[in-house]
Amino acid sequence: MKILVTGGAGYIGSHTLIELLEAGYEPVVIDDYSNSEPSSLERVREIAGGIWEIIEGDVCDYDTVKDIFDRHEVGAVIHFAGFKAVGESVEKPLMYYRNNLGATMNLIRVMNEAGVGRMIFSSSATVYGMNNQVPFDETMPVSCTNPYGRTKLMSEQILKDAAAADGNFRPVILRYFNPAGAHTSGLIGENPRGIPNNLMPYIQQVASGRREKLTVYGNDYDTPDGTGVRDYIHVVDLAKGHLKALEWSLESCGEGGEVFNLGTGRGTSVLQLLTAFERVNEVPVPYVIGSRRAGDIATCYADASKAEKVLGWKAEKNIEDMCRDAWRWETNKARWETNRGVQR
Ligand code: UFG
């Protein structure tokens, strides 16, 4: 079956392609490479083989997406494409609303015209906002503090409204916690442009000497060691969660669609992650304690029981696996870039 994967060259998209290919699906990818590179798709092919079409294009563009559905018998869509930097979204909110909401609405429109009713959508634990108690479960009230988060929240609402109006449209919304790590082959992983926003890629770049030290954003939170606690989930586990969600959506999803957390249910602090990285990889990660980052909450982790019960999916890898795999990818990437003479 052909699966349209938007944003397939990105961090989570590329890992999910591998799972799809290994399960025998035929992915068709659309990506504009605004935050990714075509080479990640070449490396996906190296790992998992397979033949699929790659379209360089914008998911917001009706004609581009329509053309894909005209030429391929698409069975379902996995929609990753979207901007995801919180800080940038505060500076350029309209760019975020136009791109993230425009892509979701355009896809729903074309899917509706083509009679395709299954979509897996990338949402985020950010929708649990500042006021819920951990562990976060899917029934809790949602709210957001920044435009990026609001694009996720609004997309969820748009999907639910579209599902209420059309019984054939049954979206599965996946709320990711904190993806980390890389494929065990060391061939694909996260490749942020510029200064990383997220903790794990920042730790990787400090360990490799590319950045001098990590600033820990606050050590006065109400957590065991005072630093922020998050639910880090291995990107390969996350990718496998997409496969489970896809299969469930094709076979069992009822009218209206469904929402699932994809997390491990375990919290890890900034300093725990940092020391695990140092221990597992035998590499120092210098750090300083800085002030809190605006908008951060003390603790965020999932109640992941719904995904286990309904989808039969459970995260299997641990923090050590994430640290090991992230470092393998980081060192490989540094070597390739040096060989290619890339300026960093
Ligand atoms: N942190 C640091 N120093 C850094 C970067 C992060 O101390 O240089 C800390 C943060 O304060 C936080 C933890 O590391 O306590 C994780 O921060 P990330 O930026 O990696 O992740 P967030 O939990 O803030 O945000 C992530 C995604 C969002 C998503 C959210 C959902 O980046 O897109 O998870 O919970 F919305």
Side-chain angles (χ1 to χ4, degrees):
M1 180 190 285
K2 286 190 178 169
I3 309 294
L4 176 62
V5 181
T6 76
Y11 177 42
I12 304 169
S14 57
H15 288 81
T16 302
L17 285 176
I18 292 172
E19 300 303 322
L20 289 173
L21 287 163
E22 287 179 349
Y25 289 98
E26 298 169 299
V28 175
V29 173
I30 176 167
D31 204 303
D32 65 359
Y33 305 121
S34 57
N35 191 29
S36 61
E37 287 171 26
S39 61
S40 73
L41 293 172
E42 285 161 28
R43 292 196 292 267
V44 166
R45 279 182 162 148
E46 234 177 275
I47 298 165
I51 301 167
W52 71 91
E53 190 186 342
I54 298 166
I55 296 111
E56 180 171 358
D58 184 351
V59 186
C60 296
D61 184 67
Y62 175 79
D63 292 337
T64 304
V65 178
K66 178 83 171 65
D67 179 61
I68 297 172
F69 279 77
D70 286 346
R71 289 186 300 102
H72 296 278
E73 203 174 313
V74 173
V77 176
I78 308 185
H79 178 31
F80 293 105
F83 295 151
K84 61 171 188 177
V86 173
E88 185 184 53
S89 80
V90 175
E91 284 160 27
K92 300 174 184 169
L94 293 185
M95 185 175 103
Y96 270 67
Y97 289 122
R98 189 166 51 240
N99 186 64
N100 291 6
L101 301 184
T104 302
M105 289 192 287
N106 194 40
L107 273 173
I108 297 171
R109 177 183 170 195
V110 179
M111 287 173 70
N112 179 271
E113 288 169 359
V116 178
R118 299 296 182 273
M119 182 200 279
I120 312 298
F121 175 71
S122 305
S123 187
S124 164
T126 196
V127 302
Y128 290 112
M130 313 280 285
N131 301 319
N132 286 307
Q133 295 296 315
V134 285
F136 296 153
D137 74 58
E138 292 87 346
T139 64
M140 286 178 167
V142 288
S143 66
C144 276
T145 54
N146 60 73
Y148 157 74
R150 277 189 279 274
T151 67
K152 292 298 179 190
L153 207 52
M154 289 178 186
S155 285
E156 286 196 6
Q157 193 58 56
I158 290 167
L159 291 165
K160 288 175 194 166
D161 289 345
D166 171 8
N168 181 46
F169 184 62
R170 300 176 184 189
V172 176
I173 293 166
L174 301 180
R175 293 179 179 158
Y176 310 153
F177 283 70
N178 291 59
H183 194 260
T184 46
S185 64
L187 289 176
I188 58 167
E190 193 170 10
N191 196 7
R193 295 207 172 141
I195 301 170
N197 295 307
N198 298 117
L199 180 60
M200 185 63 114
Y202 208 104
I203 289 178
Q204 292 163 220
Q205 293 194 6
V206 172
S208 72
R210 186 166 164 188
R211 309 211 177 264
E212 192 192 337
K213 55 182 183 297
L214 173 80
T215 301
V216 176
Y217 295 142
N219 68 347
D220 57 353
Y221 285 105
D222 184 15
T223 61
D225 63 19
T227 65
V229 168
R230 295 290 181 273
D231 185 341
Y232 297 95
I233 172 166
H234 197 295
V235 65
V236 172
D237 277 332
L238 197 59
K240 289 181 194 294
H242 286 76
L243 191 65
K244 289 284 192 188
L246 173 68
E247 282 165 355
W248 181 81
S249 120
L250 291 167
E251 285 159 18
S252 319
C253 185
E255 282 194 22
E258 205 58 71
V259 182
F260 295 99
N261 284 338
L262 292 187
T264 66
R266 286 184 297 276
T268 303
S269 76
V270 175
L271 290 181
Q272 282 172 335
L273 185 68
L274 185 145
T275 48
F277 193 97
E278 291 185 317
R279 189 180 64 247
V280 169
N281 298 314
E282 298 178 353
V283 59
V285 181
Y287 71 92
V288 290
I289 303 292
S291 48
R292 291 183 179 194
R293 182 172 65 178
D296 275 357
I297 54 175
T299 305
C300 169
Y301 59 89
D303 176 336
S305 57
K306 183 177 174 187
E308 184 173 0
K309 203 166 108 211
V310 179
L311 303 179
W313 171 89
K314 192 171 181 265
E316 280 165 4
K317 293 173 183 275
N318 60 26
I319 289 289
E320 281 73 25
D321 298 320
M322 294 177 222
C323 291
R324 194 177 304 111
D325 295 338
W327 183 232
R328 186 186 301 110
W329 157 246
E330 185 69 34
T331 47
N332 279 352
K333 187 158 57 86
R335 212 169 36 239
W336 295 329
E337 287 176 349
T338 308
N339 289 346
R340 285 180 13 227
V342 174
Q343 294 291 319
R344 296 193 295 162

